[in-house]
Amino acid sequence: MHIPLLQTLRVRLTLLVLLVHGICLGILSANMDTAVDRFAVRLTEARIGDMSRLMLASFGQALEAGETRRAIELLDEFREPQSLDYLVLIDEREVVIGARGWDRDAKLPAPDPAGTFMREHLPPTLNMAIQLNRNGIHYGQLRFGVSTDFIEDLTHQTISNLIWLNVGVSALILSMIIGSVFWFGRGLHQVMDAAEDASVHDLPPLLPAEWRGEPAALVNLINRLIGRIRGERQAVAAAADRLKVIADYTFGVEVWINPDGRLAWISESIARLAGYTVNECMDMRDFPAPLATLDERSHVQDRLREALSMRETQDMEFRANRRDGRSFWATFSLRPVFDAEGQFLGLRASIHDSSRLKEDSLVLKKAVFEAQQAQALAQTYVLRAETERSRLSALLSAMRFGVLFVDLNNNVVFHNPAFNTLWLIDDAQNVSGRPIGQVLQVSLNRPPNYDISAHLDLVGRGNEAAGVERLVMNDGRIIHQQLFPVRDEAGALTGHMWVYEDVTQEHYLNERMMFLAERDALTGLYNRHAFQEQLGRMLVDAERANESLAVLYFDLDEFKYVNDTFGHGAGDSLLKLVAREISSQVRRNEVFARLGGDEFAILVPGCNQQEASYLAGRVVAAVQSIPFAVGQQSLRLSSSLGIALYPFHAESAEELVAHADTAMYQAKAAGKSTWRMYKPEQDTSREAVNRLTWNEKIQQALANEGLVLHFQGIYHAEDCSLAHLEALVRMRDPDNPDAIIPPGQFILHAERSGKIVEIDRWVVATVVRMLAQSADLPSIAVNISGRSFDESTFPDFISDLLHTHGVEPSRLMVELTETAAVSDMRDAQRFIEALRATGCTVCLDDFGAGFSSFAYLKHLKAKVLKIDGLFIRDLPRDVDSQIFVNGMARMARDMGKETVAEFVEDAETLRMLVEMGVDMVQGFYLDRPQAAHPALTQPKYHATPKPPAAA
């Protein structure tokens, strides 16, 4: 029976199947298109999100560290690998600081809002923006364009694969239905059995083609379907292999952590990063916490739990250990993952080795720190330089020297106020920048006939320091001018410095000092040193010319009575009267000198006995005729004079003076107020007996405790507080034990006989014992005579005494007379050095009496200089003494020494000494020598100044 084709079961079932399959295919196609859209959108969002986090971390970290250059370099590193159309980096001020693939001047498109687009509405480029915020600070934004070509390609490929898959599946179903319709019979169960057998295999094998007809066709269709599945599966496997390669060879490690915190998947690149296999990592709990060092492991676990619970993106950095024990810095980035229904699937994570970045960051921080340190140091140097410049400017402004700097073109660079003062240049005039010749030409105080051209020529040649040039200015001042080259650190000449010093006062002071060096400060006569020089010269002339030379030696009778009764002021006045009166009796070629105290001498060249006798008579008569009164009391003066002639009485200067001195004592023995010619046969007369008598008295005093010490205070000039005491030796009168013999009567004899050395030792020993008995006693000064200089063991004697009695050496002060000290400079220097080695303070007494020794003062390391009383007694009325004392005080101060002024007898003298800068004072105005001095029981004793008459 023939059934129309359309009415056959095969056709109807086929049409029904086709209709149903078409409807299903339509529904599937519609759902597939929606799924593909969702897949494309999520894929786009995932990629953009991954890139955003990576770029936020990289660019944000670079900008946070201030590495703008590094941030710009990252533009190239991100654009090519990520296939971005463009990248634009904008700082926090909305200024483009870097662009790749975009014109920096072109306007950027508005960012596309994420999550609001569909695949059919995707533009060719998605315009995105990332706000670069780190730790709550905005560092700028990153604008980039993501090409959507890959989405279209992937979508088309996916749809194509799905269509072909649907077609294949549809064909298979259709074939099976048709086969079931057309092959409802023979072989159907065999085919079903074979299909059932094939269904138990992972990949079905090809069915055997042993059937005929429709079952055979069905078998063929099934075999073709199996082949197609195999092809698709191989394609999927290849795609999976490619994805695996990408995952395994990324720069970091890709990780998937499930919602319960277990590791679900990890790329094999973990072996390259940390040395662990995938299986070893899968067995780890709380991965990646086991990779962290012990001190950071809990921190990593806390952050991982926080990310799982909060389901939010987390970034962390921790110190990790590789399997071999080596450590590295790891950056761990976490992002929550959701399926299409929003079901939380866990965390997608990336692990990167950031050691190099960390090291670079540390190096950068170190460099920044060092740069900050260098900047701070530079600022410190600048501040110091400015401070030093201010100090130098203040110093130069305060200097009394005129200072002038000029450049190589002789233009003024700098000058201090003293320069304007010396040259009388108005301060209102702007001198800086003007030529030096022009400046000096208009100055009001330039020297007469001053050669400015020579001055400038000297500047031109001034590569080395020029010598001192003396200028006498228009106002009479004397200026020393000296040139110095100015060089930079490389030694190149940059200019010159002129120094001008006003030496007017020093000039006149030096002239006065030169005068005083050979003159007696009190009388203006030649002093002992000049006398000895003139005597030596005249002896040489007399010997050469075969002529005679007379020495007239005289002193004033009872002069000590005048000093002791009426004071030193009266004695000084008397000496000046005698000097003035006798000077009128002396001729030009004769030398009249004061040798010290009341002793005078006259040198008369080419003189015979008759002429010498005549001059001696005139001198004695002149002294006797001098009217002298103290207050209401008139005094009658007299003198005793001795004469010695060369070559009749002596052959050397020493003998000539000694014999004249002997002749003077012969005149005193004859009744005083007369003169005598030296007679050798009378040299052992009563004077010699008198000297022997004194020697015996001194010896007895040393043996029988006949010596006593009196003490006089030496006070600070400013407030009259006690500085120290001076020990002065006295002798008890053997004929009257209650009477005291003053030192003037026995010291001279002790020096001539050598007993002075024993007296010096007694004084030192007595003072050291006193200091040992009481630690509260002030320091005490002792006087050492010139004869003790010959005793090389004397310093050792002092040192042994101090050590034996346990006395601090600084409490003992040793005073040496200047005239004795400079008589033999080498011996004096050795003696003083030996004394200083003991720790004692050395004081130079009678300073200025031998003023010619000033040049040698630097060799005598004495700490204290005691100015000779001759300059102090009449200080308020003697201008020469004022100049002299002021010069000595200033010189001592410049040399770091202290000064003591003795013979201070009134308030006016004390005031002037304070103004001159004298450190300490001594004299009757403050106190007199006494055995029971108050300072011996009152260590903080202050003097109560009072006139000598009331003392």
Side-chain angles (χ1 to χ4, degrees):
M1 180 177 169
H2 178 72
I3 299 175
L5 182 61
L6 295 178
Q7 296 181 2
T8 62
L9 179 59
R10 293 179 299 175
V11 173
R12 290 181 179 181
L13 290 176
T14 302
L15 292 176
L16 179 61
V17 169
L18 290 175
L19 177 61
V20 172
H21 185 267
I23 294 172
C24 293
L25 185 62
I27 296 173
L28 180 63
S29 297
N31 291 334
M32 182 180 64
D33 189 63
T34 303
V36 169
D37 286 345
R38 291 178 180 176
F39 172 76
V41 170
R42 287 193 177 91
L43 184 62
T44 302
E45 291 176 346
R47 183 180 180 189
I48 293 175
D50 290 344
M51 286 191 297
S52 298
R53 286 190 298 276
L54 183 58
M55 287 189 288
L56 174 61
S58 301
F59 287 91
Q61 186 175 15
L63 293 178
E64 183 182 22
E67 300 179 357
T68 305
R69 184 174 182 180
R70 173 59 182 163
I72 296 174
E73 292 176 353
L74 289 174
L75 296 175
D76 294 325
E77 296 181 13
F78 274 90
R79 186 187 176 210
E80 293 298 331
Q82 301 296 338
S83 301
L84 300 178
D85 287 350
Y86 68 89
L87 268 171
V88 179
L89 182 60
I90 303 173
D91 63 12
E92 70 278 6
R93 297 169 298 173
E94 300 298 325
V95 176
V96 176
I97 60 174
R100 298 294 185 271
W102 189 268
D103 187 358
R104 297 179 60 167
D105 298 328
K107 181 178 179 181
L108 288 168
D112 295 319
T116 61
F117 48 80
M118 297 297 292
R119 181 178 61 84
E120 61 269 26
H121 301 302
L122 283 177
T125 300
L126 292 178
N127 300 299
M128 308 303 298
I130 301 175
Q131 301 300 321
L132 301 178
N133 298 326
R134 298 279 293 182
N135 298 322
I137 301 175
H138 179 64
Y139 292 98
Q141 62 174 318
L142 184 68
R143 303 287 295 275
F144 60 92
V146 182
S147 174
T148 60
D149 293 339
F150 80 98
I151 299 175
E152 290 295 331
D153 294 339
L154 182 60
T155 303
H156 292 159
Q157 183 179 359
T158 303
I159 293 175
S160 176
N161 290 337
L162 291 175
I163 290 173
W164 282 107
L165 181 63
N166 287 333
V167 170
V169 172
S170 299
L172 176 62
I173 295 174
L174 184 61
S175 298
M176 290 176 64
I177 293 175
I178 294 173
S180 66
V181 173
F182 288 92
W183 200 338
F184 219 74
R186 177 176 162 236
L188 181 58
H189 292 284
Q190 290 91 342
V191 173
M192 293 176 61
D193 293 338
E196 181 69 20
D197 181 65
S199 66
V200 300
H201 294 86
D202 182 49
L203 184 63
L206 295 177
L207 296 178
E210 57 185 29
W211 296 285
R212 297 290 185 269
E214 290 181 348
L218 178 58
V219 169
N220 291 333
L221 287 174
I222 293 174
N223 286 336
R224 287 199 299 270
L225 180 60
I226 291 173
R228 185 64 178 267
I229 292 174
R230 283 181 175 176
E232 292 294 336
R233 186 166 184 175
Q234 289 174 356
V236 171
D241 290 339
R242 287 194 297 272
L243 291 175
K244 184 176 182 298
V245 170
I246 293 175
D248 291 342
Y249 288 92
T250 57
F251 291 102
V253 177
E254 299 301 320
V255 181
W256 187 351
I257 299 174
N258 59 26
D260 60 0
R262 296 287 297 179
L263 183 63
W265 178 85
I266 186 171
S267 64
E268 293 186 358
S269 57
I270 186 64
R272 184 175 67 253
L273 177 69
Y276 293 96
T277 66
V278 171
N279 292 333
E280 289 173 335
C281 293
M282 297 295 294
D283 294 336
M284 293 180 182
R285 185 180 180 85
D286 295 333
F287 185 88
L291 300 183
T293 57
L294 292 177
D295 56 341
E296 295 199 54
R297 190 165 296 175
S298 60
H299 172 66
V300 175
Q301 291 173 334
D302 293 341
R303 295 293 297 274
L304 182 60
R305 296 191 188 100
E306 182 181 349
L308 288 169
S309 62
M310 302 296 293
R311 298 181 182 183
E312 62 181 12
T313 300
Q314 294 275 1
D315 292 302
M316 72 179 78
E317 189 177 51
F318 61 90
R319 193 74 174 174
N321 289 324
R322 293 185 174 89
R323 186 170 188 173
D324 58 7
R326 293 179 298 153
S327 62
F328 67 98
W329 281 99
T331 301
F332 192 43
S333 300
L334 299 168
R335 178 183 174 87
V337 180
F338 301 90
D339 63 8
E341 287 73 25
Q343 184 69 28
F344 180 59
L345 301 179
L347 299 173
R348 187 257 187 188
S350 296
I351 305 176
H352 296 275
D353 184 353
S354 59
S355 298
R356 184 170 181 179
L357 183 62
K358 189 74 173 180
E359 292 173 358
D360 292 343
S361 177
L362 292 176
V363 170
L364 179 61
K365 289 180 179 178
K366 182 179 179 181
V368 171
F369 176 76
E370 291 177 350
Q372 292 173 344
Q373 291 292 100
Q375 182 180 8
L377 186 61
Q379 291 175 347
T380 302
Y381 287 154
V382 170
L383 181 60
R384 288 181 180 176
E386 289 296 329
T387 302
E388 291 301 324
R389 180 179 177 275
S390 300
R391 291 175 179 172
L392 180 59
S393 179
L395 175 63
L396 293 175
S397 298
M399 288 176 60
R400 65 182 183 87
F401 296 95
V403 178
L404 175 71
F405 287 93
V406 299
D407 58 19
L408 294 177
N409 296 321
N410 295 326
N411 293 325
V412 176
V413 177
F414 174 83
H415 64 94
N416 66 346
F419 171 77
N420 287 7
T421 302
L422 293 177
W423 288 85
L424 293 184
I425 297 175
D426 190 356
D427 292 337
Q429 293 187 15
N430 185 14
V431 175
S432 298
R434 297 174 60 186
I436 179 61
Q438 184 183 113
V439 171
L440 298 182
Q441 183 66 38
V442 299
S443 66
L444 301 178
N445 198 32
R446 66 180 183 276
N449 302 321
Y450 184 62
D451 189 355
I452 297 179
S453 60
H455 178 92
L456 296 178
D457 183 56
L458 184 60
V459 171
R461 302 193 312 269
N463 292 330
E464 300 297 336
V468 177
E469 182 180 359
R470 183 171 179 269
L471 304 178
V472 180
M473 308 303 284
N474 192 39
D475 61 358
R477 282 187 290 181
I478 299 174
I479 305 297
H480 280 176
Q481 169 185 275
Q482 192 169 8
L483 169 70
F484 297 92
V486 178
R487 302 181 185 278
D488 58 17
E489 294 182 355
L493 186 68
T494 60
H496 299 85
M497 177 180 72
W498 288 93
V499 178
Y500 298 92
E501 180 184 7
D502 186 352
V503 296
T504 307
Q505 184 176 1
E506 288 81 353
H507 172 76
Y508 291 120
L509 180 60
N510 288 338
E511 286 187 347
R512 183 61 184 169
M513 285 184 173
M514 290 178 62
F515 172 80
L516 294 176
E518 59 181 16
R519 295 287 179 169
D520 175 58
L522 179 65
T523 62
L525 302 176
Y526 283 107
N527 56 22
R528 178 184 291 274
H529 178 75
F531 172 80
Q532 291 174 342
E533 286 187 343
Q534 293 293 335
L535 175 59
R537 181 183 60 80
M538 288 184 176
L539 276 176
V540 173
D541 293 342
E543 183 179 3
R544 184 185 298 114
N546 196 20
E547 295 180 347
S548 60
L549 173 64
V551 175
L552 281 68
Y553 201 103
F554 70 94
D555 68 2
L556 303 180
D557 300 328
E558 305 301 335
F559 178 73
K560 186 177 181 307
Y561 170 79
V562 176
N563 264 348
D564 293 343
T565 304
F566 303 104
H568 293 288
D572 290 347
S573 299
L574 176 57
L575 292 175
K576 288 190 281 188
L577 281 174
V578 171
R580 184 166 61 248
E581 184 64 28
I582 302 305
S583 294
S584 64
Q585 307 292 330
V586 177
R587 294 179 296 184
R588 255 187 168 176
N589 64 332
E590 298 170 351
V591 174
F592 182 27
R594 180 190 174 204
L595 304 185
D598 62 331
E599 296 180 346
F600 298 88
I602 303 174
L603 295 177
V604 185
C607 179
N608 55 33
Q609 290 188 8
Q610 183 178 357
E611 293 171 337
S613 299
Y614 177 70
L615 178 58
R618 291 205 329 260
V619 169
V620 172
V623 172
Q624 195 171 12
S625 63
I626 294 175
F628 185 72
V630 180
Q632 301 298 322
Q633 185 173 353
S634 297
L635 301 179
R636 181 177 177 83
L637 304 180
S638 65
S639 64
S640 300
L641 186 148
I643 305 172
L645 291 174
Y646 171 85
F648 309 107
H649 301 146
E651 295 182 353
S652 66
E654 291 78 8
E655 288 184 352
L656 192 61
V657 174
H659 291 169
D661 179 54
T662 300
M664 181 186 70
Y665 280 102
Q666 293 171 356
K668 287 185 181 293
K672 301 181 181 179
S673 190
T674 186
W675 62 271
R676 286 292 182 269
M677 187 73 67
Y678 175 71
K679 294 180 179 180
E681 64 275 9
Q682 296 180 358
D683 198 8
T684 58
S685 61
R686 187 166 59 181
E687 175 59 25
V689 174
N690 185 39
R691 292 176 183 175
L692 291 175
T693 301
W694 273 112
N695 290 344
E696 181 64 23
K697 288 181 179 180
I698 295 171
Q699 185 61 41
Q700 290 296 325
L702 288 168
N704 301 316
E705 299 183 355
L707 298 178
V708 294
L709 291 179
H710 285 197
F711 298 91
Q712 187 175 18
I714 296 177
Y715 301 92
H716 295 291
E718 289 285 348
D719 58 0
C720 292
S721 62
L722 182 70
H724 59 273
L725 293 173
E726 180 179 7
L728 304 169
V729 66
R730 300 290 188 262
M731 181 188 291
R732 292 190 178 93
D733 191 342
D735 300 327
N736 183 10
D738 295 332
I740 294 296
I741 300 175
Q745 295 186 25
F746 67 90
I747 290 296
L748 182 61
H749 298 289
E751 289 179 342
R752 288 176 176 175
S753 65
K755 294 295 183 182
I756 191 65
V757 177
E758 297 182 50
I759 295 177
D760 287 346
R761 288 178 178 257
W762 179 87
V763 171
V764 172
T766 303
V767 169
V768 170
R769 284 194 295 270
M770 290 180 61
L771 293 172
Q773 291 171 2
S774 175
D776 294 332
L777 282 181
S779 300
I780 300 178
V782 297
N783 289 280
I784 300 299
S785 67
R787 292 292 296 270
S788 294
F789 274 37
D790 298 329
E791 296 289 326
S792 60
T793 61
F794 201 86
D796 293 333
F797 168 75
I798 295 177
S799 180
D800 293 341
L801 276 174
L802 294 171
H803 179 72
T804 300
H805 294 280
V807 175
E808 177 64 31
S810 61
R811 298 179 64 197
L812 180 67
M813 304 179 67
V814 180
E815 292 190 4
L816 311 172
T817 59
E818 184 204 0
T819 52
V822 298
S823 61
D824 190 331
M825 180 57 63
R826 293 183 180 178
D827 288 345
Q829 191 172 359
R830 284 193 293 268
F831 190 84
I832 291 176
E833 288 298 330
L835 282 178
R836 293 178 70 243
T838 66
C840 298
T841 302
V842 180
C843 175
L844 202 59
D845 198 4
D846 297 336
F847 183 68
F851 196 73
S852 59
S853 63
F854 254 109
Y856 303 105
L857 185 57
K858 64 179 181 179
H859 300 293
L860 303 179
K861 305 300 182 181
K863 182 180 180 181
V864 181
L865 305 179
K866 180 177 284 190
I867 302 172
D868 190 86
L870 291 175
F871 304 105
I872 308 300
R873 289 173 180 167
D874 199 28
L875 185 66
R877 293 165 292 280
D878 192 333
V879 177
D880 291 340
S881 293
Q882 293 173 12
I883 295 174
F884 194 72
V885 172
N886 190 36
M888 284 191 289
R890 186 169 62 178
M891 180 187 63
R893 187 166 53 252
D894 293 342
M895 296 178 69
K897 302 179 185 298
E898 296 179 299
T899 50
V900 178
E902 56 184 356
F903 293 103
V904 178
E905 298 183 351
D906 54 62
E908 180 65 14
T909 301
L910 177 60
R911 183 189 62 78
M912 294 186 68
L913 292 172
V914 171
E915 293 176 353
M916 293 176 182
V918 173
D919 300 296
M920 292 170 279
V921 291
Q922 177 185 16
F924 286 177
Y925 181 63
L926 303 163
D927 66 13
R928 288 176 177 268
Q930 49 190 309
H933 196 282
L936 296 175
T937 56
Q938 304 175 32
K940 296 184 179 180
Y941 177 74
H942 275 68
T944 303
K946 48 193 173 183

